[in-house]
């Protein structure tokens, strides 16, 4: 006979996932309930901690992400207990979570922060690498040391960084859009950045603040490697720092971008020989009329939907992520978002009682503010994890809580190609339809400013370079002041716009 199940009150606060969302959630719970034990379950030996946090403005924040042994978290918060073990099953009706080692943990409130997994263009091909976490970045460096040519597939942040950082190796970069980085930029900003991509890079590296990503010193035990592909937290914007991304050739930068195409087929060397197809040499200086067949024999060949075929040493799949929900689905009837994440309401609560979710695993399903959208980024993982903990605390104390201010305005600061990049509000005119106009100011090699306007009001902005306009623009978006009377002067470099709107 089964024992009567204990009332949830007997359980603890349990957080699953050692990435930014999970760690931020656990820390915040530990502060709220200093005398309660908070459990953090993580499949990885290291956790991601936010360090050097700076609030740049009301909503813009900057921080570094550091990989730390979980003992450091336990030292900072004596009431957090980290259990290094994957989740086997969630029994939501019994308020119980089972880990791979056979233990059961009864929870009163649970927050799922298990992140997302890279979408691989094809599974199980030794020549296809998915880059999302530390281990794969190191693997990538190992393979690059003997590479003469690689192919990058994808158009997100990691693909952008790779294309810029890889040296001494031919790079063929295939994107499905017209321009690079379309998640972040319009074609104008892409053009502004592409000129930097093709230019020779200055030799002196600018020192970065963020730390190296490393899991060394922690050898994986034999036999744990089967699922090694899906564990590991996401990389930060400087993950390539300190990795020597140099191939075998003696030139710095050779990159060719194939736009508006996707991968149609991947052939191993033998399959390619049998197919009798021809592959192309690396395109040289737009002499497309003289396209010649490649004499070189490559380990792997990629056929694109534009009918071109290129051989290469290996393929980097940087085609985005899918929420890592599998471990929690069996026997639990979660509502899922269209993007496959766990749907959460404006209190980060999933559709099941006492279960919350935050970060890449969740899909925001509340009516968002007119200037906010969900993107699977570090900043949102931190904000969601922090806010989920506050919601869990309020619910368990029977208090009510307002939506956090960070969800009022989308704001993200990062670096691409060594430029500071600030994205605010509906920076790509997301969901505004054709009812908007753009204003631009661009100084080649220095700055690119784009403002999205609707009915005389600022809805979003992209700032590339050291513009110092982020705080002013943030205020203009939030207060929805009518700017029609300023017209084009709004971006006139000779007018100090900050003085207008302080």
């Amino acid at each position: 006979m089964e024992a009567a199940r204990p009332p949830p009150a007997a359980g603890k606060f349990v957080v699953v996932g050692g990435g930014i969302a999970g760690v931020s959630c656990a820390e915040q719970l530990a502060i709220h309930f200093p005398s309660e034990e908070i459990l953090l379950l993580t499949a990885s030996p290291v956790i991601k901690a936010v360090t050097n946090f700076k609030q740049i403005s009301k909503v813009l924040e900057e921080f570094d992400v550091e990989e730390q042994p979980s003992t450091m978290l336990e030292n900072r918060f004596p009431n957090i207990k980290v259990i290094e073990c994957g989740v086997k099953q969630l029994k939501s009706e019994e308020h119980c979570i089972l880990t791979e080692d056979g233990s059961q943990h009864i929870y009163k409130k649970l927050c799922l922060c298990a992140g997302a997994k890279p979408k691989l263009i094809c599974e199980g091909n030794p020549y296809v690498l998915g880059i999302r976490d530390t281990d794969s970045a190191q693997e990538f460096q190992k393979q690059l040391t003997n590479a003469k040519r690689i192919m990058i597939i994808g158009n997100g942040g990691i693909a952008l960084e790779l294309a810029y950082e890889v040296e001494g190796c031919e790079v063929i970069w295939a994107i499905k859009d017209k321009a690079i980085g379309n998640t972040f930029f319009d074609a104008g900003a892409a053009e502004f950045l592409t000129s930097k991509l093709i230019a020779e890079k200055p030799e002196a590296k600018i020192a970065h603040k963020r730390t190296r990503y490393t899991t060394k010193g922690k050898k994986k035990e034999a036999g744990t490697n089967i699922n090694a592909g899906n564990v590991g937290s996401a990389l930060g914007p400087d993950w390539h720092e300190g990795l020597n991304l140099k191939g075998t050739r003696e030139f710095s930068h050779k990159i060719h971008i194939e736009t508006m195409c996707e991968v149609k087929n991947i052939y191993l060397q033998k399959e390619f020989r049998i197919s009798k197809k021809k592959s192309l040499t690396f395109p040289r200086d737009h002499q497309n009329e003289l396209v010649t067949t490649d004499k070189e024999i490559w380990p792997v060949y990629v056929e694109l939907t534009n009918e071109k075929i290129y051989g290469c040493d290996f393929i980097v799949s940087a085609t985005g992520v899918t929420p890592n929900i599998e471990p929690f689905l069996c026997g639990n009837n979660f509502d899922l978002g269209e993007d496959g994440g766990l749907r959460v309401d404006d209190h980060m609560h999933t559709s099941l009682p006492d279960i919350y979710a935050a970060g890449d695993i969740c899909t925001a399903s509340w009516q968002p503010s007119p200037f906010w959208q969900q993107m699977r980024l570090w900043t949102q993982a931190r904000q969601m994890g922090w806010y989920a903990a506050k919601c869990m605390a309020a619910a368990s104390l029977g208090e009510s809580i307002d939506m956090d201010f960070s969800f009022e305005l989308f704001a993200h600061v990062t670096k691409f190609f060594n430029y500071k990049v600030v994205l605010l509000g509906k920076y790509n005119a997301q969901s505004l339809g054709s009812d908007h106009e753009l204003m631009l100011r661009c100084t080649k090699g220095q700055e690119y400013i784009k403002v999205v306007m609707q009915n005389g009001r600022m809805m979003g902005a992209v700032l590339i370079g050291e513009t110092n306009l982020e705080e002013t623009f943030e205020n203009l978006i939030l207060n929805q002041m009518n700017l029609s009377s300023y017209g084009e002067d709004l971006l006139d470099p000779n007018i100090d716009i900050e003085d207008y709107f302080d």
Side-chain angles (χ1 to χ4, degrees):
M1 195 180 94
E2 276 193 34
R5 65 168 185 236
K12 299 177 170 155
F13 289 104
V14 178
V15 180
V16 177
I20 287 296
V23 172
S24 304
C25 182
E27 291 183 347
Q28 193 59 30
L29 284 169
I31 293 165
H32 271 285
F33 300 102
S35 56
E36 290 207 33
E37 187 176 63
I38 316 295
L39 285 190
L40 178 66
L41 309 179
T42 166
S44 155
V46 286
I47 53 118
K48 291 277 195 289
V50 167
T51 57
N52 304 329
F53 181 84
K54 283 201 294 290
Q55 194 75 41
I56 305 177
S57 63
K58 267 197 295 247
V59 267
L60 263 181
E61 51 187 48
E62 212 173 12
F63 54 84
D64 300 336
V65 173
E66 205 174 277
E67 268 192 341
Q68 297 178 346
S70 47
T71 46
M72 280 178 74
L73 181 65
E74 293 176 327
N75 292 343
R76 281 202 308 274
F77 296 94
N79 58 327
I80 293 182
K81 181 167 189 242
V82 181
I83 295 173
E84 194 189 310
C85 199
V87 168
K88 191 170 177 185
Q89 199 194 346
L90 164 63
K91 297 183 171 181
S92 57
E93 293 197 351
E94 294 161 46
H95 278 64
C96 169
I97 198 155
L98 271 61
T99 44
E100 298 283 1
D101 60 5
S103 318
Q104 298 199 32
H105 303 283
I106 302 287
Y107 62 84
K108 61 177 166 194
K109 300 260 183 247
L110 170 68
C111 192
L112 300 176
C113 306
K117 304 190 294 225
K119 284 183 205 157
L120 275 188
I121 45 180
C122 77
E123 294 288 335
N125 185 321
Y127 297 101
V128 176
L129 283 179
I131 291 215
R132 171 180 167 76
D133 56 41
T134 324
D135 295 349
S136 52
Q138 288 175 327
E139 181 57 30
F140 179 65
Q141 188 191 350
K142 241 184 11 234
Q143 305 223 4
L144 195 58
T145 49
N146 335 324
K148 296 198 287 272
R149 184 192 297 165
I150 65 167
M151 260 186 101
I152 298 175
I153 314 290
N155 201 9
I158 284 186
L160 276 171
E161 284 301 325
L162 267 185
Y164 179 64
E165 288 292 331
V166 167
E167 295 180 357
C169 164
E170 293 173 346
V171 175
I172 292 172
W173 182 10
I175 62 177
K176 62 178 192 291
D177 314 285
K178 282 197 187 73
I180 62 169
N182 76 319
T183 352
F184 299 103
F185 312 120
D186 56 11
E191 184 60 33
F192 174 82
L193 288 168
T194 308
S195 57
K196 176 112 178 211
L197 189 59
I198 294 158
E200 286 296 312
K201 291 196 307 217
E203 269 319 291
K205 271 280 195 200
I206 290 160
H208 279 265
K209 303 186 307 298
R210 283 190 204 80
T211 46
R212 310 280 180 253
Y213 294 84
T214 164
T215 49
K216 64 171 176 288
K218 183 88 188 183
K219 285 280 170 280
K220 286 217 167 85
E221 302 85 70
T224 58
N225 218 16
I226 309 158
N227 295 340
N230 359 357
V231 177
S233 322
L235 292 164
D238 281 347
W239 59 271
H240 50 75
E241 276 305 309
L243 293 178
N244 173 18
L245 296 180
K246 260 188 165 28
T248 57
R249 305 220 162 162
E250 279 310 304
F251 48 80
S252 140
H253 229 82
K254 277 221 172 103
I255 185 151
H256 171 72
I257 304 176
E258 288 284 349
T259 57
M260 310 283 289
C261 66
E262 295 183 61
V263 173
K264 184 169 159 188
N265 277 310
I266 295 177
Y267 303 98
L268 297 177
Q269 200 179 82
K270 193 169 149 197
E271 299 167 326
F272 186 70
R273 265 209 311 276
I274 296 167
S275 79
K276 298 273 195 294
K277 291 182 191 270
K278 301 263 188 283
S279 68
L280 300 173
T281 52
F282 190 86
R284 308 269 172 233
D285 310 323
H286 312 296
Q287 298 168 332
N288 277 356
E289 310 77 74
L290 307 171
V291 166
T292 48
T293 305
D294 197 352
K295 296 282 182 281
E296 183 115 23
I297 308 287
W298 299 97
V300 66
Y301 291 82
V302 179
E303 181 176 11
L304 299 169
T305 47
N306 62 10
E307 306 303 316
K308 294 184 182 176
I309 300 180
Y310 291 102
C312 59
D313 288 303
F314 60 89
I315 303 158
V316 181
S317 174
T319 43
V321 296
T322 45
N324 184 24
I325 57 175
E326 272 64 48
F328 313 106
L329 293 185
C330 180
N332 302 305
N333 196 11
F334 280 108
D335 283 353
L336 300 183
E338 279 171 23
D339 57 8
L342 302 174
R343 282 176 68 106
V344 291
D345 64 14
D346 57 1
H347 284 66
M348 307 310 287
H349 199 276
T350 66
S351 56
L352 297 181
D354 298 320
I355 302 181
Y356 297 73
D360 286 0
I361 194 175
C362 77
T363 302
S365 302
W366 62 85
Q367 185 58 51
S369 121
F371 320 111
W372 188 86
Q373 61 270 337
Q374 181 180 10
M375 281 182 84
R376 290 181 162 79
L377 298 166
W378 292 82
T379 39
Q380 289 195 355
R382 195 202 68 79
Q383 289 160 350
M384 285 179 166
W386 185 88
Y387 175 58
K390 297 193 81 108
C391 293
M392 291 163 81
S396 60
L397 299 168
E399 295 166 359
S400 68
I401 179 177
D402 286 333
M403 183 99 210
D404 189 74
F405 186 73
S406 58
F407 299 104
E408 275 303 298
L409 172 68
F410 175 86
H412 185 62
V413 57
T414 184
K415 254 203 162 86
F416 282 120
F417 305 179
N418 259 332
Y419 286 108
K420 175 178 170 183
V421 175
V422 176
L423 307 172
L424 295 172
K426 300 285 178 186
Y427 64 89
N428 246 350
Q430 293 93 328
S431 70
L432 296 183
S434 53
D435 175 27
H436 67 272
E437 51 182 29
L438 303 179
M439 289 163 72
L440 292 178
R441 171 171 123 201
C442 179
T443 315
K444 200 173 157 69
Q446 197 181 332
E447 62 173 19
Y448 177 93
I449 298 167
K450 174 184 81 169
V451 175
V452 180
M453 304 291 291
Q454 190 176 45
N455 305 328
R457 291 172 168 80
M458 193 181 291
M459 300 298 286
V462 173
L463 306 171
I464 304 179
E466 296 296 333
T467 65
N468 295 323
L469 290 170
E470 48 267 37
E471 203 154 354
T472 307
F473 282 11
E474 176 184 291
N475 289 328
L476 290 177
I477 297 171
L478 284 169
N479 66 27
Q480 285 296 284
M481 179 175 166
N482 192 334
L483 304 167
S484 311
S485 56
Y486 297 96
E488 296 294 307
D489 287 350
L490 196 59
L491 293 186
D492 184 337
N494 304 314
I495 295 176
D496 203 352
I497 181 174
E498 292 109 300
D499 296 347
Y500 266 129
F501 306 112
D502 264 353

